[in-house]
Structures are given as structure tokens and as C-alpha cells.
Amino acid sequence: MDFVSKYQGVVGRVFGNENSGSSEDSSYVERLLDRISNGVLADDKRNAMTELQAIVAESNDAQLAFGAMGFPILLNVLKEGREDVEMVRGTLETLVSALSPIEFGKKSKNGVQPALMNSDLLSREVENISLLLSLLSEEDFYIRYYTLQLLTALLTNSPNRLQESILTIPRGITSLMDMLMDREVIRNEALLLLTYLTREAEEIQKILVFEGALEKIFGIIKEEGGSEGGVVVQDCLELLNNLLRFNSSNQVLLRETVGFDPLISILKLRGSTYKFTQQKTIHLLSMLDTVKLLLHGGQQTDPGKGNNSLANKTVLVQKNVLGHLLMLGVESQLAPVAVRCMALQCIGDLVVNHPQNRDALANKALGEEPHVEPALNSLLRIILRTSSSQEFIAADYVFKSFCEKNPDGQTMLASTLIPQPQSMTNAGFEEDVNMSFGSMLLHGLILSESDGDLETCCRAAGVLSHILKDNILCKERVLKIELQAPTLTLGGPEPLLHRMVKYLALTSSMSKDGKGSLSEATHLQPIILKLLLLWLFDCSSVVQSFLETRPHLTYLLELISSQTATVCVKGLAAVLLGVCIVCNKTADGGQDAFSIIDAISQKVGLTSYLLKFDEMQKSPLFTSEKPALSRKPLTRSIGASMSDIEEVYDYENTDQRNEDHPILGMVIDPQFVDFLKGLEVKIREQIVEIYSRPKSQVAVVPAYLEQQSGEIDKEYIKRLKDFVEKQCLEIQDLLSRNATLAEDLSKTGGSGSSQLEHRISSGSDRILVETLRGDRHETWQRLEALKAEKARIEAESSEHQQSASKLESDLKSLSDAYNSIEQANFQLEREIKALKSGGAVAAPDIEEIKAEAREVAQRESEAELNDLLVCLGQEQSKVEKLSARLAELGEDVDSLLDGIGDDMGLQEEDDDEQE
């Protein structure tokens, strides 16, 4: 498909059945294109081109018709007819008109914008862009001028496609850079084109810097008179910011090649009567934007961002940029608020996380003799006095940056917090010139108490919160500060902490009584609550002092339940109560964490209390994420559309997070949001922990547990044992139910509960595990005791078995003696029979002798048998008891007794066999 069929096909699909060719403009365009393409006379072609340019510049239908038919014809003129300079000029001017939207006249019937469509058609082919870039080398001024205008129009309507095409064309960017060295009009058009081209194209940014764009930019600024220059200087600064925005490599090249001196020269105010016109103010804002980009160092994902930022800060302070920023932001009261605010923001970025720059700011003095004062004092005075909320936010950011991770600086500022005499308490702002920083701050805290305007007090409270953040020494030191009671009261001195709680209550009463507007209370209360949160956190002594006054706890509970308080105020008050639980080291029953949770349960309810966290986290202030650099670039179009320079700053600082009040965005910053989220998790965990363990305190023994008169020790011990067992069961059940309840309550909302579930699976399961663990230990102890008793019984059984064996041996010996007597008796009877049979000797009375012998033997044997039977009876009783005990222990008694006495039986059988 050739070039003509491509364009016609695309336009035909877009416009469908619209009969544009039948219209008068469409037919006229077609006739003019035919004259240009097929004409013979050069003058006729030129006249047709002039007429075509005029009709295309005025009619949407003509632009549509031109897009369908004209591009191939005019591009062919640029390729083949360059020798006719006037014809090339007319062609380029016509193309510019075809790509420029028409603000008046008849619009397209189908709603399609012809200029955008023509830009898309022309930029589809890389060859077309290459053809246009080749025209920049022509000698004719207007050819180069109209070519740059055409490229700018293409870039406005189709930026991505043009950027890709220029990157693929050899020496495409180089040819554009050469235009910066051309005549002033060409240079300005090229500068504007490069500004559009580098807004979001990082590769083009790097190539331009490599081609020497930085040197050429500062050369043009110098030629135009620096900050005194016009729109060209603004374009140069915009191009410079595009090259440096989120591009650390270009920032390094600027620092190491050109240096920062040309930048700082623009920030210098020439004379005390410097007039801040709108154009000069825009130049200063653009240059302050450049400084801000250098201080940030690059993209967040860039690994070299941190080192580059530190290097830029160090070099800038060496070039005395801090002095120029203080001049713009603090000393020059004629400077517009927008310039002062931007300068203050740059000072904050300059000192944050940079110890040397923080020290430089702390040691900086402003003014002229004899009215010289530290720069920090001047910044504090701006916070307390300014009527602009934006200037207050910017000055507060300086103190926040100064105190961030700077314990020495915080301690230095806290050391100056010395209360002034009563005569100075009611002094006005004019009296604070000779005060120290701390005295001025305390003066601001209590100055507005008499007239009921707490705006100044809350601003001072914001500064105090930066001084106390994450610094226990400062917290304890400020805790000791006592303020004199107001003149009209008869009270004595009271701690500053208690005075701040009093002011918090006053902000609530102001809105209720109609003395203050609701918008004031929406930002005043969060500022004081933030101060109290940062003050009490991780400092048990401050928590104890806060809880010493019972109304403090009562007021917080009422604030959480208030119908008029905002979601943010209720949530912060709930977190403040949680800090009193988490950071409470008090053992006193009236101020410990247990009593606070009991008060919450009774007055608010744990479920309602924990829901305040979720409601706060879901509010727009906490859900909206603010990027690191939310301010939009200050372009020529934005600056030209502003009737007042103050509108520029308002445009830059528009933030959806600050719908209620702009100061709320400062109070609830991303760091504070993360702090609250982490603190919420700790509060939920602590509540579960307290509900899952018994309260450690000394119990009072009831009277009925005392030993009664006449009650023996055994019965008393048994009764106490029963009581303890019953109490243990009740405690186990109570702990299980409390743990389950606390876990259910902790799960009533969001991210905090999900983190908590990883650490606590179930309160009842944990109690069950602890119970089973105790039962296992008790069973193990009983098993060990049974094993020891079994060993003792086995030893006794062995001894009894040995004793029985000895008795059996004695019985055998006795039996042997009896048998010997029987044998002797039998022998005597035989001899007597033998004698009787012989008849020679008179036989004695044998029967009588036998009877006597038997009687003697029987008496002896019976005595021995009686003794033996007694012993056997005793042993038999022992054996029976041991057998029963062994049977209880699971031993086989028959196997133990098996074999006892077998040897005796065998010996008796052997004796009988021998006989």
C-alpha cells in the first residue's frame, strides 16, 4: 500500500460516511491540491499554495479534506522542489496551519479534532520526521523557522511518537541543538521545542546534556540578562529543570562541569530596593525549583540518589546558597509569599539529614548591627506572626528538617526553654526581639490565652513537637517546666504538660461556644494531640505526670465519644490513650494500664475504642499518598495564565489531602501516619497481653480462709487445697475467656489485626497449651515419685526374700536333726530286738525308753517349731503385703516367687532316694 492509500484509508475509516468531498471547502481544497500537483506555471502553484494555507487555517472541513488528500502532495514538494524557496515556505506554513487547532468557526460534525488527526497521520512515518529535520540545514531563515514551528505542533499533539522518531534518526537531536546557535528568533523556537521534547524523555535528556545543552542554556541566560531577562530565560530554566528532574547523572555532570555558580547568581538580589515583577518572580521560582531538584538528588529508585543528594547539598552550602535562601525567605519582606515559601522549603531540604548544614543554619545570624539575631529565632518569629498559612507550613518544615535525627540540635533548643517573669507573660510580639529562642517559644505558647485565640499557641506547639520527637532527655527536661498561673486566678504554678491539655480542652469549647470557627478547631486540636503523642511516647515519667491529674483521662474518654469531634481528633485521642497503656510503667492501681483499660471498657467500650483506629486510618488524610515532589513544573503557559503571582503558589500547592484545612496536611504527614500505624499494632498487642495474664497485685486473704478454732492441721490444709483448686479452675476459665475476647476485639479492623494474628493465634488455645504444659509437668513429677517408690519396694522385697531363704535353711537344719533322731531311735529298736532274740541279757523296758526319748525329742522340736512358725508367719505377712504392692505397680508376683524353695525340695527328694 502506497503513501496516498494509507492516508486515505485511515481518514476514511475515521470519518465514515461524512460527505466531506461534496462540501464547498472540500471541493475547493481538492482543486487547489490539483493545481499544486499538476500545475505548469510556478506562479500558479505558489498562488494555489497561498490559497490552500488560508483555507486550511480557517476551516475544520478544509483541514479534514487536506488530511485525506494533501499530505502526499505537500511532502512531495518538500522532497522534489527545494530549489523553489517560496514554494517550500508556503508548504511548511500550510502544514503548520493543518496541525494547528482552530479556536473559532465551524467545528467537525463528528466531534473529531482535525489537527490531532493530521498530526497523527504525519507522524506515523519516520521518513516524514527525517525529511523535516533535514530542512533545518537549509539556508533560508523562514524554512528553518516554519520547520521548527511544525515540529513543535507535532510534539504538542503527538509527543510520544515524535520522541521515538527523533531518537531513531541519526543526528536528529544534534540538528536541533545546532539551532540554539542560530539567530535569536530561531534559537527561541528551538529552545521552546527542546523544552517540550525533554519533559518526559529521559534518553533525550541525557543526549542533550552530552551534546553540551547545559553550557548553551547558561550562555543564553547570561545573554538575556539573568533574572532580569524575559520569556527566553523562563524557557531556559524550564529546559534546565527538565534535564535535571529525576536524573542524577545529569546533576553530576552539572556539578562537575558547569558548576552551581550560574544558578546562585540568579538567586542574588541586587540591592535592597529590588522590584519583584511577575516575570522576575517566575524566574526566581523556576530557579528555586532547580535548587529543590538538586537537593532531592534524583529518582527514589536510583541507587545513587542519596550520595548525589549529599554531594549537592555540600557544594551548595559551600557556595553560600544558604545565605541567599535566607535572604529570599526571611530577610526580604518585599518578596512575594510564593518566593518566600519556596525559599523556606529549600532551606528545609538543604539541612535535612546533613549534620554540617544543620550546624551552619544553627550558627547563622541575620540582620545588621545592633539588630542581629540567630536565624532560627527569625524563623520562629515567622511561624508565630505570619498571616499566611502556606508560609507557616514552609517555616515549620524548616524546624522539622532541622530536628530530624538531630538530638544535639534538639537538646540545644530545649536548653533555652526558660519561663519569663510574670511581667513578660502578657507582653506583645514587639517585646520578643531580645528573647532567646526558648523564651520566645514559651511566650508564644501562653500569649493567646487571655484573648482566647489559640492559633499562635498551636503553632508554637507544632515547633515544640519537633524538639521533643524521639528525644527522652528533652521530654524529661521540658516536663520540669512550670508556668505561672494567669493573673486573674489564684492557682499556683502548673507544669507545661498540664497547660497543653488545658489548651486542648479550650479548643473544643471554642467551637461549642461559637467563639471559634469549625475550621480552626479541625487543625488546632490535631496539632496539640500530636504534641502530646510525641511527648508521652516512650517516656514513662511523662505518662505518669499526665495521669496524675484524673480529669486528663476523663477528658480523653469524653473526646473519643464526642459527637462534634472529627474522625481525626477522635482517632488521635484514642492513640493517646493507647500510649498511656503501652508506655505505662506505674504499679499504682489508680494509674496503671489495667485501670486505663477498665476505664475505656466502662466509658467507651473496647470495640468502639478500637474502631476509632480504623475510622481514622480510612479517612482521606491517611489514605491519600503525597508524592515526594507533588508540585507541578512551572511552565510558560502556567505563568502566562496567572493574573497574580500568588496564584502560582496556590496552583502548585493544591493537594486533595487538605480539603478541610491546608495545615492538616502538615500535621498528618507520611512519617506521622507510619508512626501511628506502628503504634496501633503495639496498642492492640498490649491490650491482648493484659487480658491474657493475671493482674499482679497483693491479694487480701478472706476471713473464712483463716484456720478455725478446733480445726486440726490436716483438715485445714485439705480445705485450703480445695479452695485453691477451685480458684485455679476459675482463673483458667477467666483468662481463656478474656484472651478470646481481647483477640476478637483486636481483630475489629484493618492492618493492625492482620499483623497481630501472626503473633497471637488464639487466646483460648494459648491458655489450653499452658494448662497442658502444667499437667505434663505435674504428671512427670508423679512418675518420678512412683519410680523412686518402686525402687524402694523392690529393695525391701529383696531383703525379705533373703530373710525367707535364711529361715528356710534353718528349718531344713531342724528337719535334718529330727531325721537323725528318728534314725537313732530306729537303730536302738533294732538293737533291742536283737537283744531280745538273744535272751542272754535282761532287757530293759524298751517301750518306756522309747517313750521317754520321744517325749524329750518332741519337747525340743516343738519349741523350735513354734519359734520357726512365728517367724514364718511374720515373713508370710510381709510377703503378702509386698506382693499386693508389686501387683499395684504392675509387677508379676508369681514370676518373682517362682523358684523359691525348689532347691529344698530337690534336696529332700535326694535324701529320700538315698534312704
Side-chain angles (χ1 to χ4, degrees):
M1 183 180 292
D2 58 8
F3 187 73
V4 176
S5 61
K6 284 183 182 180
Y7 283 153
Q8 291 177 343
V10 171
V11 175
R13 287 194 298 271
V14 172
F15 300 111
N17 296 325
E18 183 179 350
N19 193 12
S20 59
S22 61
S23 64
E24 181 179 354
D25 291 340
S26 179
S27 300
Y28 186 41
V29 169
E30 186 176 2
R31 291 194 302 270
L32 293 175
L33 290 174
D34 181 69
R35 289 170 56 187
I36 295 171
S37 177
N38 301 321
V40 177
L41 299 177
D43 291 339
D44 184 57
K45 290 184 178 182
R46 297 188 191 106
N47 293 333
M49 185 67 71
T50 303
E51 295 177 12
L52 179 62
Q53 188 274 331
I55 188 69
V56 169
E58 297 178 355
S59 173
N60 282 304
D61 291 335
Q63 287 187 350
L64 289 173
F66 176 82
M69 301 175 290
F71 279 115
I73 298 173
L74 267 66
L75 290 175
N76 186 63
V77 173
L78 297 179
K79 292 179 183 178
E80 306 295 338
R82 290 197 180 185
E83 65 279 357
D84 191 344
V85 176
E86 292 186 8
M87 192 66 179
V88 173
R89 290 179 185 173
T91 300
L92 292 172
E93 191 174 0
T94 302
L95 289 174
V96 172
S97 300
L99 270 60
S100 301
I102 299 175
E103 301 296 338
F104 58 90
K106 184 179 178 181
K107 295 186 178 180
S108 176
K109 296 178 181 180
N110 51 20
V112 176
Q113 298 181 10
L116 294 178
M117 181 58 62
N118 292 340
S119 299
D120 181 72
L121 294 174
L122 182 59
S123 61
R124 281 174 177 247
E125 299 292 337
V126 181
E127 296 178 359
N128 300 338
I129 308 301
S130 179
L131 175 62
L132 295 177
L133 291 176
S134 66
L135 294 174
L136 295 176
S137 60
E138 295 290 332
E139 295 182 359
D140 185 73
F141 169 81
Y142 288 100
I143 291 179
R144 300 197 303 275
Y145 177 74
Y146 287 131
T147 300
L148 289 173
Q149 282 192 331
L150 181 58
L151 290 172
T152 302
L154 276 174
L155 187 61
T156 303
N157 298 329
S158 301
N160 295 331
R161 187 174 292 173
L162 184 62
Q163 290 171 358
E164 294 174 358
S165 299
I166 291 178
L167 284 173
T168 58
I169 298 173
R171 292 186 55 80
I173 296 179
T174 303
S175 60
L176 294 177
M177 285 290 298
D178 293 339
M179 295 296 99
L180 294 178
M181 308 304 296
D182 209 320
R183 295 167 59 179
E184 182 177 355
V185 177
I186 300 292
R187 181 201 67 186
N188 296 344
E189 287 295 329
L191 188 63
L192 184 61
L193 174 63
L194 292 174
T195 300
Y196 292 153
L197 192 63
T198 55
R199 283 180 178 173
E200 296 181 358
E202 184 177 353
E203 292 298 325
I204 295 179
Q205 295 171 3
K206 294 180 179 179
I207 295 174
L208 284 175
V209 172
F210 182 76
E211 294 286 343
L214 296 175
E215 292 83 352
K216 293 180 180 179
I217 288 173
F218 287 112
I220 296 173
I221 292 176
K222 185 176 181 180
E223 292 178 6
E224 294 293 326
S227 60
E228 303 291 337
V231 180
V232 177
V233 175
Q234 181 180 346
D235 292 337
C236 288
L237 294 177
E238 184 180 352
L239 176 59
L240 176 63
N241 291 340
N242 290 344
L243 297 177
L244 299 179
R245 183 172 286 108
F246 306 131
N247 199 319
S248 58
S249 60
N250 288 353
Q251 293 183 12
V252 172
L253 286 175
L254 173 63
R255 185 177 68 243
E256 296 181 355
T257 56
V258 180
F260 294 156
D261 290 328
L263 299 175
I264 298 175
S265 64
I266 300 177
L267 295 177
K268 291 181 180 179
L269 299 183
R270 295 167 179 82
S272 58
T273 60
Y274 186 84
K275 295 183 180 180
F276 291 89
T277 63
Q278 181 171 351
Q279 189 64 59
K280 294 176 182 178
T281 302
I282 293 177
H283 294 344
L284 286 175
L285 289 175
S286 298
M287 183 50 57
L288 289 172
D289 195 11
T290 305
V291 174
K292 198 173 184 67
L293 291 172
L294 293 173
L295 295 176
H296 280 271
Q299 291 183 347
Q300 295 293 336
T301 57
D302 190 347
K305 172 183 179 298
N307 294 332
N308 184 47
S309 175
L310 288 176
N312 290 340
K313 291 178 182 179
T314 302
V315 175
L316 285 171
V317 170
Q318 292 174 354
K319 300 294 183 179
N320 194 31
V321 73
L322 180 59
H324 298 300
L325 292 175
L326 287 171
M327 175 64 71
L328 287 172
V330 180
E331 293 187 273
S332 180
Q333 296 301 318
L334 298 178
V337 175
V339 174
R340 298 204 302 268
C341 292
M342 276 289 290
L344 291 174
Q345 290 180 4
C346 290
I347 294 173
D349 293 335
L350 189 66
V351 302
V352 66
N353 297 326
H354 198 290
Q356 291 79 12
N357 292 357
R358 289 197 298 253
D359 295 341
L361 177 61
N363 298 326
K364 197 75 174 178
L366 302 180
E368 299 179 356
E369 294 292 345
H371 304 292
V372 178
E373 68 174 354
L376 292 176
N377 290 26
S378 300
L379 289 168
L380 178 60
R381 185 174 292 105
I382 291 176
I383 291 178
L384 300 178
R385 291 187 180 186
T386 182
S387 59
S388 170
S389 60
Q390 298 294 350
E391 189 173 15
F392 159 61
I393 293 173
D396 184 84
Y397 177 69
V398 177
F399 278 102
K400 176 186 174 183
S401 302
F402 178 80
C403 295
E404 188 75 24
K405 299 179 182 178
N406 184 19
D408 294 337
Q410 291 173 308
T411 304
M412 182 267 294
L413 294 179
S415 64
T416 63
L417 291 169
I418 302 174
Q420 293 294 308
Q422 185 67 30
S423 58
M424 294 294 296
T425 302
N426 298 323
F429 278 126
E430 299 77 7
E431 304 280 340
D432 63 3
V433 177
N434 299 322
M435 293 184 183
S436 65
F437 176 88
S439 299
M440 190 190 309
L441 182 60
L442 292 176
H443 186 228
L445 285 171
I446 62 177
L447 176 65
S448 56
E449 182 178 350
S450 58
D451 56 7
D453 181 14
L454 294 175
E455 176 70 30
T456 304
C457 169
C458 291
R459 292 184 178 187
V463 177
L464 182 60
S465 66
H466 301 319
I467 298 175
L468 300 181
K469 182 182 178 183
D470 299 330
N471 194 317
I472 297 179
L473 294 178
C474 290
K475 294 178 182 180
E476 294 178 346
R477 181 166 191 160
V478 178
L479 179 63
K480 300 176 182 179
I481 296 177
E482 292 188 349
L483 302 176
Q484 294 293 329
T487 308
L488 298 179
T489 63
L490 300 178
E494 63 178 339
L496 176 61
L497 176 65
H498 296 183
R499 182 71 65 90
M500 297 313 302
V501 180
K502 174 184 174 182
Y503 291 158
L504 177 62
L506 285 177
T507 56
S508 302
S509 62
M510 284 170 53
S511 58
K512 293 179 181 179
D513 299 338
K515 296 181 180 179
S517 63
L518 183 60
S519 61
E520 289 179 350
T522 55
H523 80 275
L524 297 181
Q525 288 179 316
I527 291 178
I528 299 179
L529 285 170
K530 181 179 180 180
L531 168 63
L532 295 176
L533 270 173
L534 297 176
W535 199 347
L536 269 65
F537 177 70
D538 201 23
C539 191
S540 58
S541 58
V542 182
V543 174
Q544 182 179 358
S545 176
F546 178 81
L547 295 175
E548 283 179 354
T549 305
R550 184 67 181 179
H552 292 175
L553 180 60
T554 304
Y555 170 71
L556 286 182
L557 294 172
E558 293 177 354
L559 188 59
I560 293 174
S561 306
S562 174
Q563 299 296 327
T564 59
T566 63
V567 173
C568 177
V569 171
K570 292 179 182 179
L572 292 177
V575 177
L576 182 58
L577 268 181
V579 172
C580 294
I581 297 173
V582 174
C583 304
N584 195 325
K585 307 300 182 183
T586 306
D588 185 6
Q591 301 175 1
D592 60 359
F594 293 91
S595 60
I596 297 176
I597 295 180
D598 290 341
I600 294 174
S601 301
Q602 296 174 7
K603 301 293 185 180
V604 181
L606 275 180
T607 303
S608 177
Y609 169 75
L610 294 174
L611 282 176
K612 302 303 179 185
F613 296 156
D614 303 325
E615 294 173 359
M616 179 180 63
Q617 297 291 351
K618 293 177 182 178
S619 63
L621 278 171
F622 289 81
T623 56
S624 300
E625 294 184 359
K626 187 176 181 180
L629 288 177
S630 60
R631 195 180 60 82
K632 295 182 180 180
L634 184 60
T635 62
R636 177 198 288 190
S637 59
I638 294 175
S641 64
M642 302 299 176
S643 59
D644 187 355
I645 191 57
E646 301 302 333
E647 296 181 11
V648 177
Y649 192 77
D650 295 337
Y651 176 83
E652 293 170 349
N653 290 275
T654 300
D655 189 355
Q656 297 298 327
R657 288 158 35 98
N658 304 339
E659 295 178 355
D660 297 328
H661 200 283
I663 299 179
L664 280 177
M666 175 204 72
V667 179
I668 313 298
D669 58 3
Q671 293 180 351
F672 189 58
V673 171
D674 294 338
F675 168 75
L676 292 178
K677 289 180 179 179
L679 194 54
E680 177 189 348
V681 176
K682 295 181 180 180
I683 293 171
R684 293 179 184 271
E685 291 177 353
Q686 187 68 15
I687 291 176
V688 173
E689 177 66 21
I690 291 175
Y691 268 94
S692 301
R693 59 181 173 84
K695 183 176 179 180
S696 57
Q697 65 178 10
V698 179
V700 179
V701 180
Y704 62 85
L705 291 181
E706 298 292 340
Q707 187 173 6
Q708 301 175 0
S709 61
E711 186 179 17
I712 62 176
D713 293 342
K714 184 177 181 181
E715 294 178 354
Y716 177 60
I717 292 174
K718 184 178 182 301
R719 184 161 62 86
L720 291 179
K721 182 179 179 182
D722 295 339
F723 174 78
V724 171
E725 291 178 353
K726 180 181 178 181
Q727 290 294 314
C728 287
L729 293 176
E730 292 178 356
I731 290 172
Q732 293 289 345
D733 180 66
L734 180 61
L735 290 177
S736 177
R737 287 189 286 109
N738 283 349
T740 305
L741 174 62
E743 181 190 4
D744 293 340
L745 291 175
S746 67
K747 291 180 180 179
T748 57
S751 59
S753 62
S754 61
Q755 299 179 14
L756 190 60
E757 288 171 2
H758 291 291
R759 301 186 62 178
I760 302 176
S761 60
S762 174
S764 58
D765 291 343
R766 184 171 65 179
I767 296 301
L768 180 59
V769 168
E770 293 295 335
T771 304
L772 293 176
R773 188 175 300 169
D775 293 343
R776 185 188 67 178
H777 181 69
E778 183 180 355
T779 304
W780 180 80
Q781 290 179 339
R782 292 180 58 189
L783 181 60
E784 292 295 325
L786 291 175
K787 287 182 178 179
E789 187 176 359
K790 176 184 175 183
R792 182 179 60 80
I793 293 173
E794 288 178 349
E796 292 179 358
S797 176
S798 176
E799 292 178 358
H800 292 311
Q801 288 177 2
Q802 294 177 359
S803 177
S805 299
K806 181 180 179 181
L807 293 176
E808 289 177 355
S809 177
D810 294 340
L811 182 60
K812 180 181 178 183
S813 301
L814 181 60
S815 178
D816 292 340
Y818 182 79
N819 290 333
S820 299
I821 294 173
E822 289 290 335
Q823 291 177 2
N825 188 24
F826 180 74
Q827 183 67 28
L828 290 173
E829 288 181 349
R830 290 175 61 185
E831 291 178 357
I832 291 170
K833 288 180 180 179
L835 291 175
K836 283 182 179 182
S837 63
V841 181
D845 191 354
I846 298 301
E847 293 298 332
E848 185 178 356
I849 295 174
K850 290 173 63 178
E852 292 178 355
R854 287 177 180 175
E855 184 178 357
V856 172
Q858 186 174 3
R859 285 198 301 267
E860 294 177 352
S861 61
E862 285 179 356
E864 292 179 356
L865 283 174
N866 289 334
D867 296 337
L868 182 60
L869 290 175
V870 172
C871 293
L872 286 175
Q874 294 176 348
E875 296 300 323
Q876 183 64 29
S877 176
K878 294 181 179 180
V879 170
E880 290 177 355
K881 292 182 179 180
L882 293 174
S883 298
R885 186 57 178 169
L886 290 173
E888 291 178 358
L889 296 174
E891 297 291 339
D892 189 356
V893 181
D894 295 334
S895 62
L896 292 175
L897 298 178
D898 188 20
I900 298 176
D902 291 344
D903 296 339
M904 179 65 69
L906 290 175
Q907 291 178 3
E908 291 179 352
E909 290 178 2
D910 293 339
D911 294 338
D912 294 338
E913 289 177 0
Q914 289 176 3
E915 291 178 0

